[in-house]
């Protein structure tokens, strides 16, 4: 895929879309999202992770728009301009709730099916929708493969090096960690450290980080992040209304839709074996690639490769 020139119409339109996100009421949220590309094009929904925001796709989006895609990039709950519509809604970040947010967004925008593409929380969310609602997913791009949370497995210890990589998950299990996430300065310092350690070869500048860190000032950010990681470890309850979905996810459902999985080589979370550890979870048409020298924030570190994966998944 040729890179989109910085001054092209697609790049300029994407820059404007990311600078002034739209808003739509969807389920329990008023969701902020960037949209670029032709309004009648096939839809790609790009989903970010933590601690990131929609700008992980700021360079990939114009490449996809230039290929004729309508690109939708939402802020997940607790991020950026996305807001809860009611103060009474539980600030819940269990995986089922976030997946239903994306389905609600698609419904609100009149999108029946889309290519879903994400990393980190975004991969998990896309994987869930592809597994449980495959008719809504034309194709899937999942960075780091099959990321649906297995809460039972979360109770078992990992090798020491892997546990060390997850240090912030355990920090967030403490009151001290919660207070750090509620403090703007501590929060930004912590998230910057995560960027540095999980993307060791990415030479981002202060302006790039600050552009994303603005999304962390959402009033529900700390509550959402803390609940997400505590829920995974079994230290916080979910909501009963999601129990049936979580039971289906606990059964480790296979993903049948056409899929491209991407492994970032320099991401400390990337499992060894070049995708072999999760290969059997994808039973449809399938491609796998490992991106050498790339870290955790793959869409922003390697936007051309990410955009090409979307096009290739769509053509499987």
């Amino acid at each position: 895929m040729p890179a989109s020139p910085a001054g092209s119409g697609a790049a300029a339109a994407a820059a404007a879309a990311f600078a002034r996100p739209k808003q739509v009421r969807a389920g329990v949220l008023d969701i902020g999202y960037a949209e670029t590309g032709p309004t009648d094009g096939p839809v790609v929904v790009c989903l970010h992770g933590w601690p990131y925001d929609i700008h992980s796709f700021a360079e990939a989006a114009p490449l996809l728009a230039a290929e004729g895609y309508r690109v939708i990039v939402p802020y997940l709950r607790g991020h950026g301009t996305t807001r809860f519509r009611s103060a009474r809604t539980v600030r819940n970040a269990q995986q089922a709730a976030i997946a239903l947010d994306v389905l609600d967004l698609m419904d609100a925008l009149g999108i029946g099916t889309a290519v879903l593409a994400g990393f980190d929380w975004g991969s998990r969310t896309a994987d869930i929708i592809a597994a449980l609602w495959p008719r809504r997913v034309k194709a899937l791009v999942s960075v780091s493969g099959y990321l649906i949370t297995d809460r039972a497995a979360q109770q078992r210890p990992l090798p020491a090096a892997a546990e060390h990589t997850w240090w912030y998950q355990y920090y967030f299990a403490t009151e001290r960690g919660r207070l750090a996430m509620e403090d703007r300065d501590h929060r930004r310092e912590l998230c910057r450290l995560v960027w540095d350690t999980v993307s060791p070869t990415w030479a981002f500048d202060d302006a790039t980080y600050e552009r994303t860190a603005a999304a962390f000032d959402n009033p529900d950010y700390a509550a959402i992040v803390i609940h997400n990681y505590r829920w995974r470890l079994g230290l916080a309850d979910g909501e009963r209304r999601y129990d049936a979905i979580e039971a289906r996810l606990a059964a480790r459902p296979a993903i049948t839709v056409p899929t491209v999985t991407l492994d970032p080589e320099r991401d400390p979370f990337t499992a060894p074996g070049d995708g072999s550890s999760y290969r059997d979870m994808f039973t449809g048409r399938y491609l796998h690639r490992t991106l050498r020298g790339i870290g955790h924030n793959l869409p922003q570190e390697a936007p051309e490769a990410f955009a090409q994966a979307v096009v290739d998944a769509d053509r499987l």
Side-chain angles (χ1 to χ4, degrees):
M1 172 181 290
S4 179
S8 71
F18 279 79
R20 294 184 294 276
K22 299 179 178 181
Q23 298 289 140
V24 65
R25 287 190 169 190
V28 301
L29 301 174
D30 185 350
I31 297 178
Y33 66 100
E35 177 176 354
T36 191
T39 58
D40 60 349
V43 179
V44 179
V45 179
C46 297
L47 300 170
H48 69 80
W50 181 88
Y52 305 97
D53 82 328
I54 62 173
H55 292 96
S56 289
F57 305 98
E59 288 76 36
L63 300 177
L64 291 167
E67 292 289 320
Y69 288 97
R70 179 188 178 193
V71 186
I72 307 291
V73 189
Y75 283 110
L76 299 185
R77 57 170 57 194
H79 294 73
T81 62
T82 292
R83 297 290 188 274
F84 286 90
R85 293 172 58 187
S86 171
R88 296 187 297 274
T89 303
V90 177
R91 272 39 177 179
N92 176 358
Q94 72 183 100
Q95 59 184 355
I98 297 174
L100 289 177
D101 290 344
V102 176
L103 288 174
D104 287 338
L105 172 67
M106 292 173 65
D107 290 343
L109 296 179
I111 298 168
T113 61
V115 178
L116 300 187
F119 75 108
D120 195 88
W121 291 20
S123 286
R124 178 171 299 106
T125 302
D127 289 352
I128 290 169
I129 298 171
L132 299 189
W133 296 278
R135 294 183 180 180
R136 305 299 300 269
V137 183
K138 184 179 181 186
L140 171 69
V141 175
S142 185
V143 175
S144 303
Y146 189 91
L147 291 188
I148 296 174
T149 296
D150 182 346
R151 291 183 88 199
Q154 290 278 310
Q155 302 305 308
R156 299 189 290 271
L158 297 171
E163 298 284 25
H164 177 268
T165 301
W166 281 106
W167 65 270
Y168 55 84
Q169 178 171 247
Y170 307 119
Y171 185 45
F172 293 158
T174 70
E175 180 66 7
R176 183 168 171 171
R178 184 188 67 80
L179 292 173
M181 287 303 290
E182 290 183 347
D183 181 275
R184 186 176 186 270
D185 292 337
H186 284 301
R187 178 171 67 235
R188 290 197 174 207
E189 182 181 14
L190 185 152
C191 292
R192 177 70 182 250
L193 177 61
V194 173
W195 277 38
D196 288 335
T197 55
V198 302
S199 294
T201 60
W202 183 30
F204 62 90
D205 58 19
D206 291 344
T208 298
Y209 177 71
E210 289 301 325
R211 182 178 65 174
T212 285
F216 309 159
D217 293 334
N218 183 298
D220 297 307
Y221 185 78
I224 288 299
V225 172
I226 294 298
H227 185 266
N228 180 281
Y229 288 101
R230 290 184 179 182
W231 177 85
R232 292 195 212 180
L233 292 175
L235 302 176
D237 292 332
E239 291 180 82
R240 293 288 300 276
R241 58 177 168 157
Y242 300 121
D243 283 355
I245 295 174
E246 295 294 353
R248 294 174 66 190
L249 295 175
R252 311 292 286 162
I255 292 173
T256 61
V257 305
T259 298
V260 174
T261 57
L262 300 173
D263 271 357
E265 180 201 26
R266 295 302 303 274
D267 181 358
F269 300 112
T270 295
D274 198 26
S276 61
S277 64
Y278 53 73
R279 176 63 186 92
D280 62 347
M281 303 308 298
F282 298 92
T283 60
R285 295 187 297 278
Y286 180 81
L287 290 173
H288 172 79
R289 294 169 187 151
T290 295
L291 274 64
R292 306 298 174 190
I294 300 300
H296 189 74
N297 188 7
L298 186 151
Q300 199 163 0
E301 296 180 56
E304 293 86 1
F306 183 82
Q308 187 64 59
V310 171
V311 173
D312 291 343
D314 192 24
R315 294 173 179 173
L316 281 175

